[in-house]
Amino acid sequence: MNQMFCFQCQETAGNKGCTLNGVCGKTAALANMQDLLIYVTKGLSEVTTKLRFEGRNILPEVNHYITLNLFTTITNANFDDEVSIKE
Ligand code: SF4
C-alpha cells in the first residue's frame, strides 16, 4: 500500500504521482496532513457557500482560514508541518 499519493506538481514521480516520499522532499506524513486539511477545507467551503446563498454573513476569520489552508498547501512553496501547527 502506498504511504502517500501526491500529484500536485510537474515534478511528480514518473509523471504519475509521488507515493513514498515527494520528489520535492515532502514526507508521507505531511502529504497526508495536507490531504486532510484540504478535505476539511472543502467541507467548510461547502457550508459557507450555502450560507452565503441564504444571505448570511460569514465571519472574516472563517474566510481567512479557508485562504490560509489553501495557501498552506501550495506546491513546493509552503509545505511545512510546523506552519500548520503554529497558525
Ligand atoms: S508536490 Fe512534491 S510530493 Fe507532490 S507531486 Fe510535487 S514533488 Fe511530488
Side-chain angles (χ1 to χ4, degrees), residues 26 30 33-34 72-74 77-86:
K26 186 187 292 184
L30 181 56
M33 278 198 293
Q34 288 188 343
T72 298
T73 63
I74 289 177
N78 191 27
F79 61 85
D80 180 348
D81 46 2
E82 294 299 320
V83 170
S84 300
I85 293 168
K86 289 177 188 167

Side-chain angles (χ1 to χ4, degrees), residues 4-13 17-18 21-26 31 75-76 79:
M4 64 184 279
F5 181 76
C6 182
F7 64 152
Q8 263 186 306
C9 80
Q10 73 282 358
E11 294 176 26
T12 193
C18 297
N21 281 300
V23 171
C24 62
K26 186 187 292 184
T75 303
N76 292 350
F79 61 85

Side-chain angles (χ1 to χ4, degrees), residues 37-54 56 58 62-63 66 69-70:
L37 182 63
I38 291 300
Y39 182 80
V40 169
T41 302
K42 287 168 75 175
L44 182 59
S45 298
E46 179 78 18
V47 170
T48 56
T49 298
K50 288 193 175 173
L51 288 173
R52 275 191 203 92
F53 274 121
E54 293 175 5
R56 312 268 296 269
I58 307 300
V62 174
N63 290 327
I66 293 171
N69 292 353
L70 294 175

